[in-house]
Amino acid sequence: MLMVPSMVLALAVTAQVPFDTDDPLDADFRTGVEIGARIPDFRVKDLHGKVWDFEAIKGPRGALLHFYRSADW
Amino acid sequence: MELERSLEKFRTEGLGVAAISYDSPDVLRHFSERMGGFHFPLLADEGSKVIRAFGIFNHNVPEGHEFYGMPFPGTFLVDENGIVRAKYFEQMHRQRYTADSILVREFGASGGKRVRVVTDHLKLEAFPAQDVASRGNRITLALDLDLPPKMHVYAPGVEGYRPVVVEIDENPLLLAHETDFPESEKLHLEAIGETVPVYHGRVRILKDVTISPRVRDTKISIPLTFSYQACDDRVCYTPATVKFAVEVALVAHDSERAPEALQKKKGPGN
């Protein structure tokens, strides 16, 4: 469920409220692979050097892939 | 990371969980030790290859900057065949969907403490996705309506009657998002030859609220106004409004950084 457009609309009328609204880091915001599309293949190491791909991560019904800015932020 | 707390709930739904950042394994190890360990993989996408492949590379950060390589943050819900089924992205800095909100939205999870309201026409239970959150979180609030047999309320889009409305009362520390209503039923009123959108029985309505990063208190009360017009097979009642509040406790973010030796170096010109 993607709600970016309603968020932008809400901001237009509540610009004075204490929310961060104009962070240059958020310009031209993108949310990547579309709903209904297949994710790209990937292989990536974890903190212990073990290599993971989607097959290794997923459970019987799939997976939650959480991208965050940094653990050091 | 908040995901750790919700991990078992996602596993119960048959989902694996992974968290991906551009940090080095050293930074992730330090983070993991500082936070008491994680029971899902923290993946070190050094060079941001995976972040680029998913199309969420943050091109606003200039090359050479300390934060070059970071993504637009968000969460993909992917099915067992690798197809994206839902996405949770938050445009504004430091605001993000909580794992518990995703659980309520995608899997009907039971969430936090319930507030019960009984009116002349229906019962209502409201709850936040979680009882404890961080400032800046976007949290889903659920309203469960329970209507007695033969009673209905009007759904959005109705004409000539008052539809169900959920509002968060004006508060500079709360940002209300649009209400998500379920599909309505079509009721044919033979006497007047009209078909109107209504809700019967049990109905769940969802509304998100973002809590300002600048709340100073250790909890926040979220005041809600719920309006509706109910009818049964004999009478249409006067439109009604009820007010109530759900409460969420607030805890601090992890703001500690990795030791300086592990931090990404700023390039020249920054």
Side-chain angles (χ1 to χ4, degrees):
Chain A
M1 193 164 307
L2 183 62
M3 299 193 177
V4 171
S6 66
M7 169 73 76
V8 172
L9 200 66
L11 280 178
V13 292
T14 55
Q16 74 283 14
V17 303
F19 289 84
D20 296 299
T21 57
D22 53 359
D23 191 323
L25 278 181
D26 291 338
D28 188 22
F29 195 88
R30 294 179 193 178
T31 67
V33 188
E34 297 298 336
I35 291 170
R38 182 180 300 279
I39 59 165
D41 288 333
F42 65 89
R43 286 167 60 79
V44 61
K45 280 183 192 167
D46 71 10
L47 70 175
H48 303 299
K50 180 183 167 187
V51 176
W52 295 76
D53 60 10
F54 181 65
E55 289 300 310
I57 293 166
K58 77 177 188 183
R61 290 181 60 199
L64 195 80
L65 302 179
H66 178 61
F67 288 87
Y68 60 107
R69 285 186 165 174
S70 175
D72 181 32
W73 165 253
Chain B
M1 203 175 302
E2 190 219 353
L3 270 179
E4 178 71 16
R5 200 163 47 78
S6 307
L7 187 61
E8 280 316 309
K9 295 180 200 165
F10 286 112
R11 294 231 167 105
T12 303
E13 298 295 340
L15 295 174
V17 171
I20 304 162
S21 68
Y22 72 161
D23 298 306
S24 68
D26 285 344
V27 165
L28 294 180
R29 267 200 306 281
H30 183 272
F31 176 60
S32 180
E33 282 163 22
R34 199 167 79 223
M35 302 301 285
F38 295 101
H39 296 89
F40 57 93
L42 294 189
L43 303 178
D45 183 27
E46 273 187 297
S48 306
K49 206 172 146 194
V50 182
I51 289 168
R52 285 175 206 269
F54 273 74
I56 53 173
F57 184 83
N58 192 328
H59 45 78
N60 295 311
V61 184
E63 206 167 342
H65 188 279
E66 181 180 14
F67 298 139
Y68 182 74
M70 66 164 46
F72 292 112
T75 303
F76 293 91
L77 184 61
V78 185
D79 73 14
E80 66 276 25
N81 300 314
I83 306 297
V84 175
R85 290 299 168 203
K87 299 202 276 189
Y88 287 84
F89 279 76
E90 212 22 295
Q91 180 160 12
M92 287 188 291
H93 176 41
R94 278 190 288 154
Q95 297 195 22
R96 56 197 178 88
Y97 279 97
T98 64
D100 283 325
S101 294
I102 297 174
L103 282 161
V104 167
R105 286 187 166 272
E106 301 292 334
F107 306 106
S110 55
K113 191 168 160 240
R114 285 165 181 258
V115 175
R116 292 185 173 80
V117 178
V118 180
T119 74
D120 291 341
H121 321 108
L122 53 82
K123 286 186 219 165
L124 167 64
E125 285 193 3
F127 61 93
Q130 60 215 87
D131 290 323
V132 180
S134 296
R135 293 164 184 83
N137 279 167
R138 176 169 175 154
I139 294 176
T140 296
L141 308 175
L143 280 77
D144 285 345
L145 308 187
D146 186 1
L147 290 110
K150 295 181 181 170
M151 188 77 81
H152 65 259
V153 291
Y154 291 98
V158 72
E159 286 177 20
Y161 300 92
R162 200 73 68 84
V164 169
V165 175
V166 180
E167 286 171 311
I168 293 172
D169 299 354
E170 193 67 31
N171 182 334
L173 298 173
L174 296 172
L175 183 62
H177 301 274
E178 280 178 35
T179 310
D180 294 312
F181 290 98
E183 237 1 79
S184 59
E185 299 165 47
K186 301 286 177 262
L187 178 71
H188 184 64
L189 302 171
E190 266 183 37
I192 50 173
E194 277 182 18
T195 301
V196 289
V198 299
Y199 295 123
H200 281 111
R202 289 173 182 272
V203 182
R204 174 166 286 186
I205 299 167
L206 301 174
K207 190 172 187 72
D208 284 359
V209 60
T210 300
I211 299 169
S212 169
R214 294 171 206 181
V215 176
R216 284 162 188 267
D217 209 353
T218 54
K219 61 177 194 284
I220 189 157
S221 178
I222 302 166
L224 290 145
T225 301
F226 174 70
S227 315
Y228 66 93
Q229 185 172 15
C231 303
D232 59 23
D233 54 340
R234 295 174 299 116
V235 185
C236 271
Y237 301 93
T238 314
T241 297
V242 286
K243 286 181 175 286
F244 51 93
V246 297
E247 197 165 275
V248 176
L250 299 171
V251 292
H253 266 307
D254 165 53
S255 55
E256 196 183 328
R257 293 205 55 182
E260 204 161 330
L262 296 183
Q263 292 178 15
K264 287 190 125 205
K265 296 291 180 290
K266 289 186 190 186
N270 283 291

